[in-house]
Each structure stands twice: as C-alpha cells, then as structure tokens.
Amino acid sequence: LPRGAAAASRYSTDAEPNSYEDITSYNNFYEFGTGKGDPEDHAGQLTTEPWSVKIDGLVDRPGTYGFDDIMAKMTVEERIYRLRCVEAWSMVVPWMGFELADLLDIVGVKPSARFISFETLVRPEEMPGQKYPVLDWPYREGLRLDEARHPLTILATGLYGKPMPNQNGAPLRLVVPWKYGFKSIKSIVRITATDSQPQSTWNMQAPREYGFYSNVNPEVDHPRWSQATERRVGGGLFSRRQDTLMFNGYGDEVASLYAGMDLQKNF
Amino acid sequence: MALAATVNGAVRRIPVWAVYALGVLPPVWYFYLGLTGGLGVEPIKALEQKIGLLALQMLIAVLAVTPLMRLTRINLMKFRRALGVLTFYYVTCHLLAWLVLDIQDPARIWADILKRPYITVGMAGFALLLPLAITSNNLSLRKLGPLRWRRLHKLTYVAALLGAVHYVMLAKGLQLEPLIYLAIITGLLALRLPMMRRARTA
C-alpha cells in the first residue's frame, strides 16, 4: 500500500515523522546485536516468508495462523505515532497496521483471560545476537487485556507505506505508543491469552529498572537516568531536549485505564 | 629479544610530540563526523560513547607500558606521560560531550552526578585524574620529589578501575564489551601485585 492509500486515522499525531533513514538505522533489536546499527547491518538475513503466529491459551480458536491469512482478514491503516524509548530518545513513526483487538476478536478471547503475552522468534542462525545470553531468549512481552484491546494498540506490518523492514520487527510487531518502546515487541511468533500476569523480558532482566507496565512517565525516573526529558532522533549534534509527556502524550486516550492505580509503584 | 631491540630502536626515532599531535586528532575527527552525518542519526550519544571508549583504550595503553617492559623488554616509557595526558584529554572531551551536548541543563547535571551511581563513579574517576594532569610536568615532579610524585600517580590505578566500572554500569543487559574492558584493566592492575611479580621472577 502506498502511503496515503490507507485510511487516515484519527489516532495519528500531526507531528512531523522522522525520516525513513532515522527509523531504519537507529534500532534496539538485541536479537541482532546491542549496537544501534546492528539491526540494520544484520537483520537482512532474517527469513520472514513464510511466517506464522501461534495463538493459544485462553482463546476459542487456538491455532497457527499464517501471516497472509491474518492479513487477508485485516484492514490496514496508517498510524503516525510518537515513539518514546526508555533510553530517553524519541521518534515519530508512520506505521501501517491493524488494531490488535481485531485479531483478538477473530480468535475469540475467553472471559477468563486477563492478559495477553507475546513472544519473538528464536532463530540464532539468522539472529546472531541470540548466540549470547544478553537477554533470556525468547524476548517476551505482555499487556493487560484492556491495554491489548485499546484502539491505540496495533500490530504493525509496515511503515512509510512499505512492508516492515526486518530491523523494525518484520513482518509483524506490536506498537503500544503510550509505553516505552521495548514493550512494542518485534517479529512476533506467538500470542497467548492468560489469566495471570505474564513474564516480560526486561522486567525479568532488571525488575528495579523496568516495570511490567512501563508507561511513559516523566515523573518516574529510570534508576540510571531521568525520564523528564527526551531527545528527538535526527536533530543533529546540537539537538535540544524536549519535555517528556505523561503517557507519551496519549493521556486523553489511556489515562482512564489506570484510574486509581499508584503509577509510582506500578511503573 | 630481537623484536624488542627493533621496536626500541624505532621508538628512539619517534619524537614524543608526534604522539601528542596524533593523539589530539580522534575526538576532533569524531566531532567533525558528528557534524557531517558520519556518526549516524543520533550523533550526540555516538560522540559521547566513541570518545569514552577512546579514553578507556588510552588508559589501557598507559597501564600496559610497565608490564610490557617487564615481560617483553619493549620500552615505551618515553611515551607514557603523553599517553597519560591524552587519556585526561579524552576523558575531558567525553565529559564535555555529556555536559554540553547531551544533558544541556546545569541543574540536571548536578542532580545526575549525585543521583545516578554510574555518573557518580565516572565523575569520581575524572576527579582523580585532575591532580595527575596538573602535576604531569617536570616542575611538579621536582617540587613533589620522585617518591611522592610516583605515589600520587598511583591514583591512575583507581581511576582506571572506576572508568571500567562506569562502562559496565551503564550497559543495558549482560553485554560482553564492557566486561572485556573491565577484565583487561583488572588484569593489568593484577600484574602489579607483589605476589604476581614474585611469581614471574621466581
């Protein structure tokens, strides 16, 4: 789909998107190495066709769903979202994708389910970073069911009107724009509905530093750096920092999900 | 020890100013790359990290001079002061990149130094290098006397350890490279322990 051919979304920001080069050359995707340029350098060798996603747990129609079969049932639209990395940098990305809720409706989530968990592909022969125990592979993430069903939450399949570049999580990745970027798990091969809070990789690695929720919050610092400000990637050597917004600026849409919760504790 | 003799012969012909002249260039080169797109789309972090690594590499070179002479007879003692001064220069550039380009806000800089352990450790390392840089001239050596001067300059060991720990602390996840730097620096320091020196000469 060329850019603009997909339906425009009321959820898109009017902020100026980063360039395609910004978005595809500066990535955290530790499966391909810990350097920001490693994903661009090494992700080309990843085979993304054929691709299927195992959907299991508390769903009515568990099974292995082919990527093309999923796409045939979904309406893809452009969502221009702000992206805030936990490392205090940010971008604006014109994603192409569909709402996760639409896929959940197709497989039918049982009433007893309370969380949705996700897993990234493990294929060390094509993902050289997985040869080292930098993280406990496979990369895992999870959302509360109401977060997963929120209309802002999408499964993205492309950006700038092109199929998803491998370094950005081809062919299918989560995007949850009010949470730190690492929650938006890449190259998904498994989606599970569960009744208890699932494990998530960074939380397992350093629970003091990365909470399960990981909502963007300028008032809760990472123990090693402040989260009050961020730097938009692409501004050059003298780029100024800008203030980070609560829920990455999506408070009107999502603050009600956390009414009554102590966000200092549930960070 | 034919190799050592060849190297030492070459060393005699290289003037110290050449080491200074070459050593000054890398941070300037990185800054130029950062201005012209050569450091990628987020040049501030890249500049900070590249110069920080330069500082650690130069520290390793400084610490390697003595063991290299003991083990191989290759004598680079003539350059050691220049390597030390260049280390300080790199650490200062690294610090300036962080202060001026990255953090930008003076209030936050102070808060970070107090609140963020990896920054506290890094700043402590820089603070230890200050008196060494100030006394890196012949006048100070004469005034302090060789014994006290040498004792003071053993702070290099502490600063090197702090630098390596600073790097380990800022990495996300279990990353190999910072641990390799820590291992090399720890190893070079261990070679100086009296028992290691005895074991080798025995």
Side-chain angles (χ1 to χ4, degrees), chain B residues 40-149:
Chain B
V41 297
E42 231 295 59
I44 298 176
K45 270 284 171 231
L47 185 74
E48 203 173 280
Q49 284 168 0
K50 282 189 180 297
I51 300 177
L53 275 182
L54 272 181
L56 279 175
Q57 287 154 6
M58 200 48 100
L59 257 176
I60 287 173
V62 170
L63 292 177
V65 169
T66 299
L68 194 68
M69 189 165 65
R70 288 222 182 90
L71 295 170
T72 68
R73 302 284 154 211
I74 292 174
N75 186 348
L76 301 177
M77 207 51 89
K78 173 179 161 189
F79 301 130
R80 192 165 67 169
R81 182 190 298 183
L83 301 180
V85 172
L86 285 171
T87 301
F88 179 74
Y89 162 65
Y90 294 162
V91 173
T92 306
C93 290
H94 171 68
L95 180 63
L96 282 175
W98 177 71
L99 291 176
V100 179
L101 298 177
D102 190 349
I103 299 300
Q104 299 165 0
D105 172 2
R108 236 199 84 190
I109 289 164
W110 187 240
D112 273 2
I113 291 171
L114 297 179
K115 249 171 93 174
R116 320 276 170 210
Y118 84 92
I119 292 174
T120 318
V121 167
M123 282 304 291
F126 173 74
L128 291 184
L129 289 182
L130 261 177
L132 309 193
I134 292 168
T135 60
S136 65
N137 49 71
N138 289 337
L139 183 69
S140 302
L141 177 59
R142 274 200 301 277
K143 275 201 164 161
L144 285 168
L147 209 68
R148 267 195 297 172
W149 189 91

Side-chain angles (χ1 to χ4, degrees), chain A residues 87 221 224 231 239 241, chain B residues 41 102 104 116 169 172:
Chain A
E87 296 165 358
D221 282 349
R224 287 185 280 155
R231 192 165 49 236
S239 158
R241 283 179 173 272
Chain B
V41 297
D102 190 349
Q104 299 165 0
R116 320 276 170 210
M169 287 173 82
K172 270 173 70 202

Side-chain angles (χ1 to χ4, degrees), chain A residues 173-192:
Chain A
R173 63 165 292 170
L174 185 68
V175 178
V176 195
W178 71 93
K179 293 175 180 285
Y180 292 121
F182 68 87
K183 292 293 289 183
S184 293
I185 182 170
K186 301 185 177 87
S187 303
I188 296 169
V189 293
R190 188 175 177 195
I191 299 175
T192 310

